[in-house]
Amino acid sequence: MSRLIVISNRVADLNKNVQSGGLAVALADSLRKRGGVWMGWDGETRADAGERPPSVKQIGDVTTVTIPLTREDYEEYYLGFANSVLWPLFHYRLDLVNFESAFLEGYRRVNKRFADVLVNYVEPDDIIWVHDYHLIPLATELRKRGCKNRIGYFLHIPFPPPDILSAVPDHKWLADSLLSYDLVGFQTQTDLGNFLRYAEEHVGIHPHPDGSLRFRNRMVRADAFPIGIDTDAFAAIAAQYADEVQIDAMRRSLLDRQQIIGVDRLDYSKGLPDRMKCFSRLLELYPEHMKRVSFLQIAPPTREDVDAYADIRQELESLSGAINGRFADFNWTPIRYIHRSVPRDKLAALYRVSRVGLVTPLRDGMNLVAKEYVAAQNPDDPGVLVLSKFAGAAEELTDALIVNPYDIDAMAEAVHQALMMPLEERRRRHAALFDRIKRRDALAWQRSFLSTLESLTATDADAA
Ligand code: ADQ
């Protein structure tokens, strides 16, 4: 078995598996089995970042290699091209794209630096797995430095339709960069289809039925690999019930009240304002839920240095305030809005005691919260997942109540249906959903990507 080299924007702490979630567990597991290297940004900015040697740690057979960025890199690569161009663009939000040529320069510069550092740790038989939108040009940079290894890429976020992608300058360069990998993996069939259509319409390549493409005399394989969670481990944590969550749940049960839960990073792609409006609409349409249902939204801040994120935070604070002002009573707060991170065991317990999981992104690569909510339920008395049709997870989780996150009335109807759903139907839907996320968990995802990558013949770097 080849050694594995993983590169992602950030590197997870390999000593904190349970807290850091399915992706880190899956990658750490394959790294431990194969031995190898995990490289990324250390999260720091330093004026002398370009000259400093990387920080290297050895944990068993796994080496972690991290580097700092300069302030300029952080602004142009991370806040700029990655999070003000690619993130909104790939989430179909052209209105929020803020394109500046310095951003692209910074993005290229940091990818070159990653490649300069990484080549020192790569051995000839290693396979290389690059993650996400921060590092699209990395394969091209590695090839320029003589790297002939098999290199796979996985995009965690959606891939937009060709017309949207082509609105950004340098879209051809982005596509060329992706086509320099041996394997390009997407979350869903929709994303894969968008990529293949772009290749056909804008690059003039006709994909083979198995998703392979001939580009500049080499073969590139594209496929969908829906990411999963560490289902069994998450279900086990949820069944333990954090004490304070249990006390809160008992109090609600005495009052015959139900809880709806939403958990998201505070991001405009997650559809949070519409979700709050949906809860308000539920109370208008079905006043019988007044004092019987409360909505808990947990949304820790992210990327606060990007303007669009400060805007969404303000909008949510004023919406939750207005809805509570309108409906609250002295002994009932309709919306509880928590603006911080919650430990994983508590989160799992909160999912379990919530009758409805409301996951309504406007666009999402996969959405692991949807899968965590299902994993956390008590199979004898499970809650109901209400899921946006624009989350990648909707391709798999067809037994959820699937909604259009732009249609607030229809979402309110679906939440009402979820709250009223008979036990037998809840059990049937949950069993089907659980079966799916158990079969397609994080380990299965990682194995299927790596075995596909290993099955491909190594690239002739000179032809790239
Ligand atoms: P994200 O956009 O971060 O991931 P998601 O898939 O939902 O979205 O994962 C979020 C993770 O953060 C979950 O594990 C969740 O439990 C955790 N989390 C969220 N809020 C939290 C809180 N308040 N406290 C603690 N933990 C919290 C990107 C893509 C997704 C894709 C994933 C994985 O945008 O579409 O599913 O990568 O590929």
Side-chain angles (χ1 to χ4, degrees):
M1 210 182 340
S2 311
R3 279 194 342 150
L4 174 64
I5 313 279
V6 172
I7 310 98
S8 51
N9 180 54
R10 297 297 303 274
V11 174
D13 185 340
L14 292 174
N15 296 318
K16 284 192 191 161
N17 279 346
V18 176
Q19 287 297 321
S20 49
L23 174 63
V25 172
L27 292 178
D29 180 79
S30 46
L31 275 166
R32 272 194 215 100
K33 281 196 187 118
R34 292 164 174 269
V37 178
W38 192 343
M39 184 195 163
W41 171 37
D42 65 8
E44 301 288 327
T45 56
R46 290 176 187 275
D48 61 347
E51 294 90 58
R52 291 173 74 89
S55 150
V56 180
K57 284 188 198 145
Q58 192 69 34
I59 303 158
D61 288 338
V62 183
T63 311
T64 60
V65 178
T66 53
I67 55 170
L69 298 178
T70 63
R71 184 77 209 170
E72 209 178 22
D73 294 337
Y74 173 68
E75 282 168 7
E76 295 172 357
Y77 150 83
Y78 181 76
L79 296 180
F81 201 74
N83 285 312
S84 299
V85 179
L86 294 179
W87 179 272
L89 177 75
F90 281 29
H91 286 85
Y92 301 39
R93 292 297 301 270
L94 279 176
D95 57 318
L96 295 176
V97 170
N98 174 17
F99 185 82
E100 289 179 26
S101 51
F103 291 171
L104 182 60
E105 282 311 304
Y107 185 69
R108 286 181 153 149
R109 185 174 64 242
V110 171
N111 272 273
K112 283 180 183 158
R113 188 160 338 124
F114 266 62
D116 283 337
V117 172
L118 187 68
V119 283
N120 300 314
Y121 297 88
V122 179
E123 294 171 10
D125 288 334
D126 294 347
I127 52 171
I128 302 179
W129 191 1
V130 178
H131 287 263
D132 230 359
Y133 58 103
H134 314 85
L135 299 167
I136 292 173
L138 194 61
T140 314
E141 295 301 333
L142 289 169
R143 300 282 185 229
K144 281 185 191 159
R145 287 157 183 77
C147 174
K148 299 191 180 194
N149 303 60
R150 278 164 292 183
I151 313 181
Y153 175 83
F154 185 77
L155 181 68
H156 289 257
I157 64 176
F159 191 84
D163 271 0
I164 292 188
L165 184 61
S166 67
V168 72
D170 299 290
H171 60 95
K172 289 210 160 135
W173 170 78
L174 280 173
D176 267 30
S177 304
L178 282 172
L179 289 163
S180 299
Y181 287 89
D182 296 297
L183 173 63
V184 185
F186 298 95
Q187 296 274 26
T188 65
Q189 292 295 331
T190 305
D191 300 322
L192 173 65
N194 287 340
F195 177 71
L196 295 178
R197 268 202 303 133
Y198 180 93
E200 196 147 17
E201 292 169 17
H202 291 263
V203 194
I205 316 178
H206 302 292
H208 295 233
D210 71 349
S212 51
L213 310 112
R214 175 167 287 280
F215 180 64
R216 294 188 187 144
N217 282 333
R218 336 172 5 256
M219 293 310 288
V220 184
R221 175 80 180 273
D223 212 339
F225 300 90
I227 195 168
I229 61 165
D230 192 1
T231 307
D232 287 336
F234 201 81
I237 307 174
Q240 285 166 13
Y241 273 91
D243 284 351
E244 49 183 327
V245 173
Q246 201 172 8
I247 292 166
D248 191 42
M250 279 162 65
R251 194 177 60 87
R252 246 193 334 276
S253 153
L254 283 175
L255 295 166
D256 194 19
R257 280 183 188 161
Q258 304 281 16
Q259 179 164 276
I260 300 168
I261 191 166
V263 175
D264 312 74
R265 282 185 307 99
L266 184 49
D267 192 294
Y268 51 79
S269 66
K270 303 290 184 185
L272 293 164
D274 290 337
R275 195 180 305 167
M276 286 197 177
K277 288 178 196 157
C278 149
F279 182 66
S280 169
R281 193 71 185 123
L282 173 80
L283 298 177
E284 281 169 6
L285 289 173
Y286 298 99
E288 64 265 37
H289 295 308
M290 214 87 80
K291 294 194 185 185
R292 289 272 168 274
V293 178
S294 60
F295 175 33
L296 172 63
Q297 175 64 55
I298 303 174
T302 49
R303 305 173 197 165
E304 289 191 293
D305 294 339
V306 178
D307 289 346
Y309 288 78
D311 296 347
I312 182 96
R313 178 177 179 164
Q314 268 192 349
E315 185 180 359
L316 281 180
E317 275 165 12
S318 84
L319 256 175
S320 57
I323 296 168
N324 279 341
R326 178 169 168 209
F327 294 107
D329 208 341
F330 72 97
N331 59 356
W332 174 59
T333 309
I335 298 186
R336 283 185 298 160
Y337 172 41
I338 297 176
H339 192 53
R340 62 175 179 276
S341 199
V342 171
R344 258 185 118 55
D345 52 347
K346 189 167 167 191
L347 197 60
L350 283 167
Y351 287 137
R352 193 174 173 102
V353 298
S354 301
R355 173 52 59 85
V356 180
L358 196 47
V359 182
T360 56
L362 303 178
R363 189 67 58 180
D364 218 329
M366 176 55 62
N367 195 297
L368 296 180
V369 168
K371 295 186 173 181
E372 289 168 0
Y373 178 77
V374 171
Q377 297 309 302
N378 173 359
D380 296 330
D381 185 18
V384 180
L385 176 65
V386 176
L387 178 63
S388 161
K389 65 176 179 175
F390 298 125
E395 266 188 19
E396 299 178 88
L397 303 184
T398 48
D399 285 280
L401 294 181
I402 304 291
V403 294
N404 173 358
Y406 293 95
D407 186 342
I408 288 165
D409 279 20
M411 273 199 288
E413 291 292 346
V415 174
H416 174 69
Q417 186 190 343
L419 288 164
M420 307 305 286
M421 192 178 283
L423 177 61
E424 203 179 313
E425 184 179 352
R426 283 192 277 127
R427 279 187 185 155
R428 181 178 56 70
R429 285 178 183 270
H430 175 260
L433 292 170
F434 190 82
D435 178 58
R436 176 76 191 194
I437 62 165
K438 189 168 163 64
R439 277 187 292 116
R440 303 285 287 268
D441 68 1
L443 283 183
W445 166 75
Q446 165 263 110
R447 281 191 193 124
S448 108
F449 186 94
L450 290 176
S451 65
T452 308
L453 182 58
E454 277 188 308
S455 73
L456 304 174
T457 35
T459 288
D460 178 347
D462 298 332

